Amino acid sequence: MQRRDRLFEIARQTRGYMPDDEGETLYRAARAACERARSGAVLVEIGSWCGKSTLYLAAAAEEADGIVLSVDHHRGSDEQQPGCEHHDSSVLDARTARIDTLAFFRATITEAGVEDRVIPLVGDSATIGSFVHTAVSLLFIDGGHGEVPARRDWSTWAPKVHVGGLIAIHDVFEDPNDGGRPPYEIWRDAIDTGRFEAFDRCGSLAVIERRSVDPDH
Ligand code: SAH
Ligand code: MG
């Protein structure tokens, strides 16, 4: 079995929220982003959870000499807390009764053999973003889906993506009956600025390409 297929297989077995076809679309976007960067591409993931989507990015990074910075405080989003729709009680830490996905994430990365490609950044995404000053080739936004966290992730991280770089936004639903609004709204607002163009689409994963920079950054 090819190495990439092995990583996809582990991703499929990892708990999380990334459908197989959308994950493979994310991989192709990351691969394209690595080629545009030529060497040393930096791929940023906001929302590691247990490493499912991370492996699609890692597969591209491995093939094209890139790295993945995977950002998460590992405490779960508001919509994943006990009693909420997307809660998974198997990731509760019995001692603290809080979500803790960090050990699950590390186990995934170790099993897949991508510890050299994936750098976990554990903390609040906006705080981490405030001291990361590198140019980003692909940004994958899949952190908190509320209005405030989604907009903050966009305003913190999107300006770091260079012209020709890609931004993949997960859980983009045109129809409000299918899911929450903020990921759709940041995607729509980005297109409306005229500085981004559609690059690819699969299910709720929307990939856009930066065509120009924001004048205020
Ligand atoms: N990409 C994952 C799913 C991510 S779920 C997959 O493929 O399965 C959303 C993640 O965003 C959660 O792990 C949560 O802890 C993280 N998150 C939410 N708000 C955050 C914040 N402000 N800073 C860092 N991580 C955050
Ligand atoms: Mg998602």
Side-chain angles (χ1 to χ4, degrees):
M1 184 189 279
Q2 260 201 351
R3 173 75 182 145
R4 178 198 317 167
D5 294 330
R6 177 69 187 131
L7 293 186
F8 289 1
E9 183 181 74
I10 299 171
R12 286 194 292 273
Q13 290 162 4
T14 300
R15 81 189 75 204
Y17 303 89
M18 181 53 65
D20 305 346
D21 54 347
E22 296 178 29
E24 293 184 23
T25 301
L26 180 62
Y27 157 79
R28 284 193 299 276
R31 198 71 173 77
C34 287
E35 257 146 46
R36 285 151 186 237
R38 290 201 192 87
S39 71
V42 175
L43 313 176
V44 172
E45 169 172 67
I46 311 295
S48 328
W49 191 243
C50 299
K52 189 179 185 70
S53 48
T54 317
L55 292 188
Y56 293 100
L57 299 173
E62 215 179 63
E63 290 170 358
D65 193 28
I67 59 152
V68 182
L69 305 181
S70 187
V71 178
D72 202 310
H73 50 38
H74 289 281
R75 294 301 190 187
S77 304
D78 291 346
E79 54 276 11
Q80 291 168 320
Q81 300 306 314
C84 298
E85 186 193 346
H86 298 289
H87 182 61
D88 173 356
S89 59
S90 67
V91 298
L92 279 181
D93 177 340
R95 285 171 309 152
T96 60
R98 295 177 70 192
I99 289 175
D100 189 353
T101 53
L102 181 54
F104 294 91
F105 177 78
R106 186 187 276 283
T108 301
I109 297 313
T110 303
E111 184 194 352
V114 291
E115 285 188 36
D116 56 341
R117 293 283 162 194
V118 178
I119 319 287
L121 295 177
V122 181
D124 172 63
S125 61
T127 309
I128 292 172
S130 68
F131 62 79
V132 171
H133 300 300
T134 190
V136 171
S137 292
L138 177 126
L139 171 63
F140 170 52
I141 302 181
D142 194 23
H145 287 14
E147 178 77 27
V148 171
R151 292 220 175 261
R152 210 179 34 188
D153 283 341
W154 176 268
S155 62
T156 303
W157 289 92
K160 305 181 198 304
V161 176
H162 59 71
V163 171
L166 302 176
I167 303 182
I169 306 173
H170 201 221
D171 304 300
V172 169
F173 299 111
E174 277 85 354
D175 183 346
N177 295 315
D178 294 336
R181 304 316 282 150
Y184 163 74
E185 286 166 2
I186 60 171
W187 168 75
R188 188 203 52 203
D189 290 356
I191 296 287
D192 286 350
T193 63
R195 289 192 278 278
F196 294 89
E197 262 177 22
F199 179 85
D200 203 356
R201 179 79 197 233
C202 176
S204 79
L205 185 82
V207 187
I208 56 180
E209 174 183 345
R210 181 182 280 289
R211 303 310 303 263
S212 63
V213 290
D214 315 14
D216 48 348
H217 280 99

